Every structure is written in structure tokens, then in C-alpha cells.
Amino acid sequence: MSKSVARPSVARTIGRIALGSALVFAGVSHLTFARKDFQAQVPDWVPIDDDTVVLGSGVAEIALGASLIFLPKHKQAVGNTAAVFFTAIFPGNLSQWLNERDAFGLDTDRKRFARLFFQPVLIAWAVWSTRDKR
């Protein structure tokens, strides 16, 4: 009797690659055209220059995204790391809402508040897309 090997579903693989691609795009945008918008999300209490935070998080997003795409053998560890990253940057989204900072077309309290609910979706996406089906 042979032991079956769990494999990811096609949907999970597509989800992992899509998330990785989105992270690479977001990371590149941190370093280029959306740099100013991302600075609006850095909480005032962070003791590092806003631009340095944005550049560092951009590099981290590129690395995470590329790892999701090109390191499928390590997908679970990378997925867990991405989930932790999405959790760690949540205070930036909260700060943007609480401080009423306009960026990314989020120019009302309602829009900034609604965006807060997308972060748990990203966390769940990172975990789900990097697990094998049972």
C-alpha cells in the first residue's frame, strides 16, 4: 500500500502565484510611483523615517512575492511569513484611518475604514494558498 502525497489544488496554486504577483507589484510601487501614498500609512509612533519604512516594506514585499512564486517547496513557511507580514503592517492601515490621511483614493473615513477589513482577507489568502489540499 503506497502512501499518497498531498498536492496543492489548482485553485491554491493560482491563488499563491496571484498573491505573489500582487506582492511584487505592491513592492515595486513602494519603491517608485506610490511611494508618497505609502508614506501616509506609516504611523507617527514608528521611530524610523517614513521613507525608510516604505522602502524597507517594499523590499520585503518583493522578496515575499518572489518567494511565493519561485519557491513552491517552501510555500508553507513563506505563506506563514506573509501572514505575519500582513498582520505587522495592519497598524499602518489603522493609522491612515485614525489620522484621516488620504492616499490610494481612500479620501473618506468610510473608505479608509472599509479597507481595514481587507487585511484579514490577505492573511487568510496567504495561509490558504500555501497549504496542500486534504
Side-chain angles (χ1 to χ4, degrees):
M1 186 180 257
S2 67
K3 187 176 180 181
S4 67
V5 176
R7 296 186 187 271
S9 69
V10 172
R12 288 176 197 250
T13 299
I14 291 169
R16 176 178 52 81
I17 292 169
L19 181 61
S21 298
L23 277 165
V24 169
F25 177 79
V28 169
S29 72
H30 275 67
L31 306 180
T32 58
F33 64 90
R35 202 157 150 183
K36 218 42 161 168
D37 281 334
F38 281 110
Q39 290 174 7
Q41 295 179 320
V42 179
D44 294 335
W45 50 263
V46 173
I48 302 169
D49 174 66
D50 292 355
D51 196 45
T52 302
V53 172
V54 170
L55 293 173
S57 61
V59 170
E61 285 182 329
I62 293 168
L64 281 170
S67 296
L68 282 170
I69 296 167
F70 298 114
L71 299 177
K73 289 184 179 182
H74 302 284
K75 67 180 181 267
Q76 191 166 346
V78 177
N80 289 343
T81 304
V84 169
F85 176 79
F86 290 138
T87 302
I89 63 171
F90 182 73
N93 298 339
L94 195 56
S95 175
Q96 183 181 3
W97 171 59
L98 292 173
N99 293 306
E100 301 175 342
R101 294 182 181 152
D102 296 348
F104 304 109
L106 304 174
D107 53 3
T108 67
D109 285 341
R110 177 177 283 172
K111 289 178 184 177
R112 289 185 287 266
F113 182 72
R115 182 171 188 260
L116 299 177
F117 294 95
F118 189 61
Q119 210 68 17
V121 172
L122 287 173
I123 293 165
W125 186 0
V127 172
W128 172 82
S129 69
T130 57
R131 300 305 188 266
D132 293 326
K133 64 181 180 181
R134 297 192 186 259

